[in-house]
Every structure is written in C-alpha cells, then in structure tokens.
Amino acid sequence: MSPGDLESTVARLRKQFLAEFDPAYVENVIVPHFLVSTYDGERLWLPMINTEFTKENALPYDLWGLLSETWKPAPEDGVTVFLQGLEKRGPHNRRKRIYMTALTPDLYRPMYGDKVVGFFDKLLDDANTGKPLMRPYLESYFDLYWDLHLGVKGDAIPQQVHDIGQAFNTVLAYRDVTQKIVYENYMTVRANLAFLKTWIDDRLTDIENGKTPNPEKTFAWYWIKNAGNGEYFAHKDVVFEVFHNFVALSQWGNTLYNIMLKLAIDTGDPDARAWFKKTMEGNPDDAAGEAFTPLERFVMELFRTISPNGGSISAMEEVRTPPYQRHGYVVSPHTSTSFDPVHWKDPEEFNPDRYKTAPTSHDINEETCEQIGFAKCPFSSEPFDVADGRKAAISNSGFGTVYGIVDGEPLPVCDYAALRLSVSAIAGVPASSSPSKCSRIFCARCGTAESNSTSLISLTPNRCLSDPPRSSAIMSASAAKPSRYA
C-alpha cells in the first residue's frame, strides 16, 4: 500500500468511527489497530529468541492506552521488564533477576501459601457445588491479586481499583476495538489510570515504612528490597509492574479451566487422569534424586498440553524506513513447539516422566553448550545475590534462563524449547517472554492433591488431604520464570 492509499484508508476509518467514538480513541486505538501486522514465527530448536526479535515495546500498539496516559510508550513514567529490550535491563539481565527475587519457589509456602489457600477455599466452597465457577473466580481474583502484590484486600481496595481491573480484562477478552463494549471499558481504564498509579504508589510507601502488616508476604517488598539504588528497577517501575500484571487474569483462568477439563470425571483425558491417580497414590513430593518431584512433573505435563498462552510476542524493526508509521510483531509459537516430534518421541502422549531426562537450567553450562556445538555459552553465569535477608541468589543457565539458588540448593527450571509453559506464578504474574519455563506446583495448603478429580462446570470441591472433610483446595502454581534471549 502506498502512502497515498494509506492516507485515504485512514481518512475513511476516521469518518466511519468518529461519529461513535472519542476522537483520541479513534486516532490512538482504532487506526493503529488496523495498521498492526502480526506474523507467526518459526518453532524454536533452543529455548532462546535472538535479539533481532525484541521485547522493547512488544505490545500491539492499540493497547498502549491501557498502560500509558499518553497513549504510547512512556518509559519516563515506568516500564515493565516484559516490554523492555534485553539491552536496557542492566548488566546480565539485572532487571529480570530483581523481578525474579519475588518468585523463587522457597517463598511460596511461608509467604504466599495462605493467601492462595484462602482464594481456593472460597472458590471451591461447598456453596459453589454444581455451579459455574468463572463468575466467583472473577469476583474473588482481584482480592488475591492485590493481596499478593501489595498486601491489600477486601474493603481496603477502592471501587475504582476494582473497576479498572474488570474493565482492563474486558478489553482483552473482547479485543475488537470497534465494539462499544471495548470502547466503554477502554475509556474506563483511562479514566481511572492516574488514580490507580497514585493508589499503588501510596501502598508501596506503606510497605516501605512498615505500615503494611507482614510486608514480606508481598511481591512488591522483594522488588523494593532487591532494587538497590533503583538504577535498574526504579520505584516507578515497581508501580508499572504491579498494574501491568493485570494481563495474567485470562491465562490463569484458562489454566484452571483446562486442568478441570483434563481431570473431569466424565469428560476428562483418561491418560491424564490415570497419571494423576498414579502420582497421588505414590510419593508425589519425593523427587528421589531427580530434578523434579512426581507432582511437579505431572503439572509440567499439564501445562505443556494446555499451553494457555499461544506464543511469545516480539517486536520487529524494518530494514529500511517505512513510508508511513506502522508496527509489526512476530509470535514464536508455544503449542506447536511443545508438540513438535523433533523435541519429543511421544509428543501427543500425556507422559510426565519425559521430564526425568529433560535438561534443567542448572544443567546448561559451558560443557553442555560446547557439546551442542557452540564455541561458548550465549550467556555467562552471573549470580545475583539478593538483599532481602535470605541466603539466596538468582543465577542463569548458559541459555540465559534465570532461576533461584536458595541456601545453596538450586531450584532449577526445565530449560528446553518444547516446554513452553505460559501459566503465571501463584498470583497470575504475566507469562515470561521466555519460550521455556517450568513450575514447582503444590497443593495450596499441604503440597499434595486429592486423587479424585473434579468435573468441569458442575465442580464438586475436593478436599486437601491435610484438612477436615469440609475444606477444599486445588493445586496452585509457583512458577520459576526464566528470561528470554530478546
């Protein structure tokens, strides 16, 4: 399309939609929406994406108005690591390492577990038996979200904060920017965006000055403690990270829904149900010298086969100056890579034992890279010591995948291109841009799970094995999140 053709097309778009929508919305949302090009990328052979495919502003341009009051990227007001190029994250991917300090698996049970338990006890209460669960899920999700991020819940969350969360996710659910429901909710987000940022900023101050009870049980506390002088993770960036994580709602809900689908009594996957029974009747938490426990391997296989996020999006730069402003993106596929027979001998089978021999982030070192044929590892190992009182560090594999080492014990992730898990951490932290991550999974309360699976929509809550029969729990994820090459 020539510049002249483009101008006439844009003029027609403006004329068509200005009668219904705010001019700023038409100019910054509808017009860019029709000028964006998104391409399917190739399947990956290694868990890395080259820097030519960058995470810098890798967000469809029509969505920037949900994050920025200027309708466009404004790094001077804060930025998330998931929309930041590797070259801007500081030495050895420092920004990602600081982000990861809040999500190492050792923190789940003592710091976050009770909050997740409360969420599932409410969701899977006997009162919800036989009822669709997505409405109660939506109603209670943000209590968990804000409690994990900032230590705030219930009446302490203003209605405006609830409104922006619901509106944000409505936009993402419908996605068609020409629909009235999308427009109205988009503008609701924008009307409340300044309030939300100020409210988050105030709650961060409460965490810093000790006003928030048990601040170490929030994600933000670790980001603040480990940010040092803020050069690579400034206070404004913490604010941005907290509300950017809204995008995880659909992925977390999709994951829970599909776990129920696979384990449903009448309509579930027979192989997945059989593996669940075998796992839970054995020793689910005994790794027996392997990198992952049987329960971890089972849930890793659930995530491989569910793949709630279809791919990792990267921005592209054109090799010459385009005749008009436009934006292009490539999506490196998750699902097709996870089922690629080049990576697995039995990709269509549900087989958690495949992870007994899959490489972990602690395995990928100089020797491994040389065996592959590299002259050296793409990334040197550069541990980052945390400053939050733990004896812990965030290390990385030769592929750049970050993972925790706590009290001298590695807590690795599966560093393999064909395990492209995109579920978030326990609160629904947005999926990492990495094509490979694995999760350490526990029952929300005791680290085990009931061997009787549940039906899909008419869900009868099961009980945690450590509880009286009246209680209920479901598995929850604490995902270790490696970085990506771009």
Side-chain angles (χ1 to χ4, degrees):
M1 181 183 294
S2 69
D5 291 336
L6 176 69
E7 289 176 6
S8 61
T9 300
V10 170
R12 286 196 301 272
L13 284 173
R14 291 194 183 105
K15 183 178 181 180
Q16 178 180 352
F17 293 109
L18 277 175
E20 297 182 73
F21 302 115
D22 183 280
Y25 181 83
V26 173
E27 199 67 30
N28 293 288
V29 180
I30 292 181
V31 171
H33 179 78
F34 285 101
L35 296 183
V36 163
S37 297
T38 304
Y39 305 93
D40 289 331
E42 65 177 355
R43 300 176 187 178
L44 301 181
W45 311 116
L46 291 171
M48 296 182 290
I49 301 175
N50 209 315
T51 50
E52 280 75 13
F53 287 171
T54 179
K55 289 302 292 182
E56 184 70 14
N57 300 328
L59 180 76
Y61 209 79
D62 58 291
L63 294 178
W64 275 106
L66 297 173
L67 302 177
S68 170
E69 293 168 83
T70 66
W71 299 92
K72 59 187 178 182
E76 65 276 9
D77 297 327
V79 66
T80 169
V81 67
F82 301 104
L83 298 175
Q84 187 178 48
L86 178 64
E87 70 281 359
K88 296 185 179 181
R89 296 180 184 179
H92 309 296
N93 206 0
R94 176 70 59 83
R95 172 70 182 272
K96 188 61 173 289
R97 292 170 191 265
I98 297 171
Y99 187 96
M100 265 296 300
T101 61
L103 302 173
T104 54
D106 61 297
L107 295 176
Y108 171 70
R109 297 191 189 193
M111 301 303 172
Y112 310 140
D114 288 346
K115 299 181 180 186
V116 179
V117 166
F119 171 82
F120 280 111
D121 278 347
K122 183 177 180 180
L123 181 67
L124 301 183
D125 187 84
D126 290 343
N128 289 330
T129 300
K131 299 178 181 178
L133 281 185
M134 290 314 295
R135 175 49 56 189
Y137 166 79
L138 292 170
E139 290 172 349
S140 57
Y141 173 85
F142 285 109
D143 259 6
L144 176 63
Y145 181 96
W146 292 116
D147 198 10
L148 283 166
H149 283 82
L150 298 173
V152 180
K153 60 182 178 181
D155 292 340
I157 304 172
Q159 186 59 45
Q160 283 174 273
V161 174
H162 281 291
D163 290 345
I164 194 173
Q166 297 288 0
F168 194 103
N169 285 291
T170 300
V171 172
L172 297 182
Y174 283 88
R175 198 59 189 94
D176 182 352
V177 299
T178 65
Q179 290 192 34
K180 270 285 189 181
I181 190 172
V182 173
Y183 167 69
E184 291 168 355
N185 281 278
Y186 201 115
M187 300 307 283
T188 296
V189 172
R190 292 194 55 77
N192 292 288
L193 193 55
F195 175 87
L196 177 67
K197 291 181 179 180
T198 300
W199 180 77
I200 293 172
D201 194 30
D202 291 343
R203 302 293 73 77
L204 293 177
T205 299
D206 290 344
I207 289 173
E208 290 181 275
N209 64 23
K211 183 178 179 180
T212 302
N214 303 310
E216 71 282 357
K217 294 187 177 183
T218 68
F219 295 163
W221 188 82
Y222 295 93
W223 294 337
I224 293 168
K225 286 289 184 180
N226 292 298
N229 62 8
E231 181 179 2
Y232 305 113
F233 206 144
H235 183 90
K236 63 185 179 181
D237 297 327
V238 178
V239 173
F240 200 98
E241 291 288 9
V242 168
F243 77 85
H244 165 263
N245 283 350
F246 276 152
V247 299
L249 176 75
S250 61
Q251 292 180 28
W252 211 50
N254 189 11
T255 302
L256 293 176
Y257 182 91
N258 278 284
I259 287 175
M260 289 188 286
L261 180 65
K262 280 192 171 291
L263 299 182
I265 294 173
D266 299 322
T267 59
D269 180 341
D271 291 335
R273 286 176 48 79
W275 269 103
F276 185 54
K277 186 174 187 295
K278 176 183 177 180
T279 299
M280 302 317 299
E281 289 180 349
N283 296 304
D285 293 322
D286 182 7
E290 305 286 350
F292 307 108
T293 69
L295 183 56
E296 290 170 349
R297 295 195 298 267
F298 174 77
V299 179
M300 289 159 66
E301 186 70 345
L302 278 177
F303 290 171
R304 182 187 74 88
T305 55
I306 290 172
S307 194
N309 181 5
S312 298
I313 188 170
S314 303
M316 298 186 302
E317 292 185 6
E318 299 195 42
V319 295
R320 59 184 178 183
T321 302
Y324 50 86
Q325 185 182 33
R326 58 189 177 190
H327 305 276
Y329 308 93
V330 170
V331 176
S332 300
H334 290 177
T335 307
S336 61
T337 303
S338 293
F339 284 89
D340 194 330
V342 170
H343 292 300
W344 306 114
K345 293 181 178 179
D346 55 351
E348 299 297 329
E349 294 183 22
F350 191 93
N351 179 18
D353 278 353
R354 70 178 75 250
Y355 307 111
K356 286 185 175 182
T357 56
T360 75
S361 52
H362 201 61
D363 297 330
I364 305 299
N365 52 29
E366 199 75 32
E367 181 181 355
T368 310
C369 290
E370 289 179 1
Q371 289 174 351
I372 293 174
F374 291 142
K376 65 176 184 177
C377 287
F379 290 85
S380 60
S381 181
E382 301 288 346
F384 168 70
D385 293 330
V386 306
D388 55 41
R390 292 178 291 161
K391 185 182 178 182
I394 306 299
S395 189
N396 66 279
S397 76
F399 295 154
T401 303
V402 296
Y403 65 99
I405 299 177
V406 180
D407 294 326
E409 178 187 357
L411 303 174
V413 300
C414 186
D415 208 3
Y416 196 51
L419 180 59
R420 302 167 62 81
L421 307 185
S422 48
V423 73
S424 305
I426 43 182
V429 175
S432 164
S433 48
S434 169
S436 138
K437 66 168 89 58
C438 86
S439 299
R440 295 183 171 271
I441 307 299
F442 311 102
C443 162
R445 189 181 300 280
C446 70
T448 57
E450 179 65 79
S451 58
N452 293 325
S453 59
T454 57
S455 61
L456 177 58
I457 298 300
S458 299
L459 183 71
T460 301
N462 290 324
R463 67 179 182 87
C464 172
L465 299 182
S466 68
D467 282 347
R470 63 168 186 80
S471 184
S472 61
I474 194 170
M475 291 181 295
S476 63
S478 176
K481 302 170 67 57
S483 76
R484 64 172 284 171
Y485 194 77

